[in-house]
Amino acid sequence: MTTHEVVNQVPPLAGYDAADDPALLDGLDREGAGWAAAELHELGRLGGAAPAIEQGRLANEHPPVLRTHDRYGHRIDEVEFHPAWHELMRTAVSHGLHAAPWADDRPGAHVARAAKFYAWRPDAGHGCPISMTYAAVPALRHSPELAARYEPLLTATAYDFGLRAPLTKRGLLAGMSMTEKQGGSDVRANSTVAHPDPDGTYRLLGHKWFTSAPMCDIFLTLAQAPGGLTCFLVPRVLPDGTRNPMRLMRLKDKLGNRSNASAEVEYEHAVAWRVGDEGRGVRTLIDMVNLTRLDCVIGAAAGMRQGVITAVHHATHRAAFGRYLVDQPLMRNVLADLAVESEAATVLMMRLAGATDRSARGDAGETAFKRLALAVGKYWVCKRWPAHAAEALECLGGNGYVEESGMPRLFRESPLNSIWEGSGNVAALDVLRAVTKEPQVMEAFQAEVSTAAGADPRLDAALRQVRADLSDRDDLELRARRVVERLALVLQGSLLVRHGHPAVADAFCASRLGGDHGQAFGTLPGGVDFATIISRAAPKVE
């Protein structure tokens, strides 16, 4: 006996190419990495396939477990991961999503890596050690001897999990261990101390409150040396094969990012090697922070893309009140609004990746532009993701609130990128520092956005407003978030007007710059080309 017939159900969103994204592909060509298109699509098909999606689910359903001791009572400080985690990591490393661009001389290598990091998102958690490994290389280069030893293994495309002496492995992963209980983002308040030994190493005594991916092979950390706050390299295993006394006290019980382990750590005279000069720890890590900020923007943009394609897919196949949701005017407004936000994030992400690539090759103008634009993008794109994820989830109704849809996991993930590498206030104040103390960065930023001058009167008016905001220095810190928001919108508008689809650019300028928009998604003005915008966010499922 059957109680009912199951009808009007949305097919699984699987069997699509996650790289089939017009804003992404246009940016790949524009920023000099068109040569990577084939591998990008290969990875995109893997990321949109059912096996990878299932691996992402399993890695989060079975979070990592800390084993502090073995059965005999010996201290081991190991973290166990589900096999799905290792498969995700293996795919990411084999495709060079970690530090591979540093060993690739081709122009656009960092752009290609950014696009692949965006397209490979069946799980966000495993992206953390991938991102930190990418960002560790330029910091490590402050000590050429250490870089010569470790960089070839950091850039290798072999995933070699397990605690062994680093230089005996086929490939390495790097982590970061910076913040402490008393300081958080204020790392200058760190209390961990570093005592120099006669052999040139140091011994660290202290703690770290957040150490992401504690099963990485090496870590960059900060400690107070005799000459001040200094950066150090700390391996989990010493060259002789013994465990470095870096104790994992417990794993964090986090809102999201649950597939990835984040630990509280204590150093019991752990052996460390100095990276850069004593007292220059923050300066040594500036490049590392900028690269992880770039990955925060990439991750948020990728999360928005995942949210909007899921919403469009659902609305295309789900009917209510006699019509498919995608054909209903108000839902079309919501979907188009989500798509506009997503494309604005993606076009900015790719521009930042291009600036990163050219800056790494010595382009001073791109370095100046990146200095300001990256902090602006980190603030704004990451801030937009939680609201975007919530609205995309709501497009699925009650089904979106159920874990099996994947949307609750996306929603729980969404606040993280705004917090990591400097929360909103930290990023906004960093923008103000750049604007007030480094005039060349504002000149580079204005040169960038001014290339679209005259293309859209709403963009021109917004640019004039930004200039007025910055010329008024009264209560500038109080107004920092508003100023940074306007900088971000002007930059996104300029990029879309120059490089985006006309329908998307018009909708963005009307709603985000022209003020014809409500406080929620789904309040685009009439006259927008809804059909074109939505079609660009529709996944092509095989």
Side-chain angles (χ1 to χ4, degrees), residues 78 121 130 133 139 167 263 265 305 332 367 470 481 512:
E78 295 193 7
R121 301 295 289 183
I130 296 297
T133 303
L167 298 182
V265 169
R305 177 67 179 179
R332 290 170 69 78
T367 298
L470 291 173
R481 286 188 173 218
R512 275 67 171 175

Side-chain angles (χ1 to χ4, degrees), residues 16 18 43-60 84-85 87-89 91-92 97 116-127 259 302 306 406 409-410 413:
Y16 68 99
L43 191 59
R45 287 188 290 271
L46 286 174
I53 295 169
E54 178 65 2
Q55 288 166 3
R57 184 189 70 82
L58 289 171
N60 283 273
W85 164 274
E87 289 302 314
L88 293 165
M89 289 291 297
T91 298
L97 272 61
K116 291 188 290 185
F117 192 60
Y118 173 100
W120 175 249
R121 301 295 289 183
D123 159 70
H126 80 288
S259 66
Q306 184 62 44
R409 173 153 57 96
L410 185 72
E413 196 72 33

Side-chain angles (χ1 to χ4, degrees), residues 166-444:
L167 298 182
T168 68
K169 301 183 71 175
R170 295 178 296 117
L172 299 178
L173 295 172
M176 297 165 55
S177 195
M178 305 296 174
T179 60
E180 298 181 5
K181 293 184 179 77
Q182 72 281 354
S185 296
D186 183 8
V187 294
R188 296 186 189 278
N190 283 8
S191 62
T192 296
V193 294
H195 300 286
D197 275 354
D199 63 359
T201 63
Y202 290 71
R203 295 281 180 158
L204 305 189
L205 181 65
H207 82 285
K208 296 296 170 182
W209 192 229
F210 272 92
T211 296
S212 290
M215 286 298 285
C216 285
D217 301 289
I218 60 173
F219 290 85
L220 293 180
T221 192
L222 290 171
Q224 301 287 355
L229 192 65
T230 303
C231 179
F232 293 93
L233 182 147
V234 182
R236 286 295 314 272
V237 180
L238 296 172
D240 64 3
T242 60
R243 301 286 175 94
N244 208 2
M246 173 180 165
R247 308 304 188 198
L248 309 186
M249 306 309 293
R250 64 172 178 169
L251 300 185
K252 299 290 191 182
D253 186 8
K254 299 173 294 184
L255 169 67
N257 205 249
R258 299 185 69 83
S259 66
N260 177 44
S262 298
E264 297 168 18
V265 169
E266 292 187 0
Y267 298 126
E268 296 180 1
H269 300 289
V271 180
W273 282 260
R274 178 169 51 82
V275 180
D277 297 331
E278 280 196 9
R280 300 280 291 173
V282 173
R283 176 57 55 186
T284 300
L285 292 174
I286 286 296
D287 289 336
M288 183 176 190
V289 169
N290 282 334
L291 290 170
T292 49
R293 283 183 172 181
L294 171 63
D295 278 8
C296 286
V297 178
I298 297 170
M304 288 192 213
R305 177 67 179 179
Q306 184 62 44
V308 70
I309 67 170
T310 302
V312 171
H313 178 74
H314 179 87
T316 300
H317 295 278
R318 180 76 167 180
F321 309 110
R323 289 184 293 176
Y324 283 106
L325 294 175
V326 75
D327 296 327
Q328 301 185 21
L330 189 53
M331 178 59 80
R332 290 170 69 78
N333 199 319
V334 172
L335 296 174
D337 212 354
L338 292 173
V340 167
E341 193 71 34
S342 172
E343 290 211 28
T346 301
V347 72
L348 175 55
M349 176 271 288
M350 291 302 284
R351 177 65 182 93
L352 294 175
T356 298
D357 191 85
R358 290 182 283 275
S359 175
R361 300 173 198 284
D363 188 321
E366 288 291 85
T367 298
F369 169 73
K370 177 174 69 81
R371 167 67 183 96
L372 182 58
L374 191 51
V376 167
K378 162 65 167 71
Y379 172 82
W380 183 241
V381 175
C382 296
K383 269 276 177 282
R384 296 295 286 166
W385 187 17
H388 191 278
E391 195 69 58
L393 182 155
E394 189 175 327
C395 289
L396 278 65
N399 292 318
Y401 201 69
V402 175
E403 285 291 337
E404 292 164 311
S405 72
M407 297 302 283
R409 173 153 57 96
L410 185 72
F411 181 64
R412 287 193 300 271
E413 196 72 33
S414 63
L416 174 60
N417 291 33
S418 188
I419 296 170
W420 196 35
E421 292 309 338
S423 56
N425 285 355
V426 173
L429 293 174
D430 188 35
V431 170
L432 292 194
R433 277 193 298 274
V435 168
T436 56
K437 296 183 178 181
E438 303 172 59
Q440 73 277 12
V441 305
M442 192 61 201
E443 292 171 6

Side-chain angles (χ1 to χ4, degrees), residues 332 336 501-504 506-507 524-535:
R332 290 170 69 78
H501 191 283
V504 176
D506 178 67
L524 290 172
V528 165
D529 187 351
F530 294 100
T532 296
I533 295 171
I534 294 170
S535 70

